[in-house]
Structure formats: C-alpha cells, structure tokens
C-alpha cells in the first residue's frame, strides 16, 4: 500500500515525505528549515505559536487557526493541549511545517469533542511553528525554589500549630494546678 501511495504521489509530481512514529504520533515533515539553531527549536516549557488546520481522517476540517487569523499560543509541557500535540510539536523549528496524525488515545479519546470530533477519532493536523518564546533560564531555579519552598512552608505551619497546641496544653495544665492549689489553701 505504501508503494502504491508513493507511486501515485510521484506521478503527480509530489516529493516523498518520510513519516516518523514518535510516541504513537505519526509525524511527516512537510516543510523543512535549512538552518535551525537551538534558540529556534521548540523545547518543553517554551511558549509556541502554531498555525494549524485540524481534520478528521475523512478530510473534513473541524478547526483552523487561520479562520481566526491568529496562531494558537501555548506552553509546551503544560498539558494545555492534547497529548498528540505535545509530542508532535516538540523539537520543531520556527518555520517548519508538519502533518501530525494523532490516534484517539493521544487526542480526544473515547469521548471525542462533540459536535465536531466524534468519539475514537484519529485526527490529522497540518501545523506550522510560526514563532516561539524560549523559557527563561531562571525558570529552572524558580521551579527548584518552589519545590523546596512548599514543603518547608507546610513543615513550618505544622510546627507552629504543634507549638501553639503544646503551649496551650502546658498553660492549661499550669492553670489547673494553680486552681487545685487554691482549692487546697481554702480548705
């Protein structure tokens, strides 16, 4: 079947497109970029700007950023888009175009996204990375600081609560002793 498609495309004057399977997403690079530095390559935590056309396998278009005349912006790795996009956009270069074929389990799954996307639908997205904003280098330090600060804050609060309860218990015990002493003195 692959040979038949290749021959058909070749007879139309199309060039062969290599398809890579990456984590279940079939990725076909439809436009390559001649030079791509690390500053132009999409990585986790970068904010990417992506133009896209989303289609069902039968070719019916269900959504497009071109309709809105504005690319979709999202942070890679923040789980704000379907898993298939997270996989398919990663390592793209600015200016590169890809076709992503996303199975249901990496798209909208058994539920779909009615009314446009039926349950268990395989999705085909033509995507172009228009721009990206690299994550700031301080982000790693900030993340580490947050990871340390939260448990320390919880521990501090727990300690303060414990200390207050303990101090109150000691004060109450002392007050009780004093009352007993006063009762004995009165007798």
């Amino acid at each position: 079947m692959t040979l038949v498609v290749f021959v058909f495309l070749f007879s139309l004057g199309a060039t062969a497109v290599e398809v890579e399977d990456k984590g279940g997403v079939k990725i076909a690079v439809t436009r390559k970029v001649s030079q791509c530095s690390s500053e132009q390559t999409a990585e986790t935590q970068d904010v990417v700007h992506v133009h896209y056309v989303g289609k069902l396998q039968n070719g019916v278009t269900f959504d497009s950023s071109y309709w809105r005349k504005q690319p979709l912006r999202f942070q890679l790795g923040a789980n704000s888009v379907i898993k298939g996009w997270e996989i398919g956009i990663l390592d793209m270069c600015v200016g590169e175009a890809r076709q992503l074929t996303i199975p249901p389990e990496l798209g909208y799954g058994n539920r779909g996204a009615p009314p446009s996307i039926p349950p268990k639908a395989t999705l085909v997205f033509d995507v172009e990375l228009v721009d990206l904003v690299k994550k700031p280098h301080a982000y790693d330090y900030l993340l580490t600081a947050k990871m340390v600060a939260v448990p320390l804050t919880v521990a501090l609060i727990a300690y303060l609560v414990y200390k207050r309860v303990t101090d109150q218990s000691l004060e109450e015990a002392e007050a009780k002793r004093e009352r007993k002493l006063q009762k004995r003195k009165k007798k």
Side-chain angles (χ1 to χ4, degrees):
M1 168 118 170
T2 305
L3 181 61
V4 173
V5 172
F6 176 73
V7 171
F8 176 72
L9 289 173
F10 187 73
S11 68
L12 293 176
T15 57
V17 176
E18 186 177 323
V19 177
E20 173 190 359
D21 189 307
K22 189 173 176 185
V25 176
K26 290 184 177 37
I27 300 172
V29 177
T30 55
R31 184 177 60 233
K32 291 184 179 185
V33 176
S34 58
Q35 293 181 352
C36 184
S37 68
S38 62
E39 290 300 308
Q40 296 177 312
T41 304
E43 299 173 320
T44 302
Q45 304 305 325
D46 291 345
V47 175
V48 294
H49 301 218
V50 180
H51 260 309
Y52 69 93
V53 176
K55 300 176 276 188
L56 300 174
Q57 265 189 314
N58 64 8
V60 173
T61 300
F62 60 83
D63 192 17
S64 174
S65 62
Y66 295 104
W67 296 343
R68 291 178 290 283
K69 297 181 173 119
Q70 185 173 359
L72 176 67
R73 288 181 294 207
F74 64 95
Q75 185 177 23
L76 268 176
N79 296 322
S80 58
V81 294
I82 59 175
K83 186 71 174 165
W85 269 51
E86 295 277 357
I87 295 168
I89 303 294
L90 193 63
D91 299 325
M92 267 184 95
C93 293
V94 173
E96 183 179 329
R98 293 180 176 179
Q99 184 174 75
L100 310 177
T101 303
I102 302 173
E105 61 272 13
L106 298 174
Y108 293 98
N110 292 333
R111 70 186 188 289
S116 304
I117 302 171
K120 300 179 184 177
T122 296
L123 308 173
V124 179
F125 286 95
D126 293 315
V127 296
E128 176 188 0
L129 183 58
V130 178
D131 195 12
L132 65 84
V133 177
K134 298 302 282 181
K135 71 174 179 177
H137 295 292
Y139 178 82
D140 294 331
Y141 300 114
L142 183 60
L143 182 62
T144 302
K146 284 181 183 177
M147 290 172 59
V148 170
V150 170
L152 285 176
T153 303
V154 169
L156 178 63
I157 291 169
Y159 170 75
L160 292 173
V161 168
Y162 170 77
K163 182 149 177 53
R164 185 171 183 184
V165 168
T166 304
D167 288 348
Q168 281 179 344
S169 296
L170 291 173
E171 287 174 12
E172 288 172 6
E174 186 65 33
K176 197 174 184 181
R177 277 190 223 116
E178 296 243 353
R179 283 193 301 268
K180 282 184 180 180
L181 284 173
Q182 286 176 358
K183 280 185 180 180
R184 286 183 187 161
K185 285 182 183 178
K186 286 183 182 180
K187 289 184 179 181

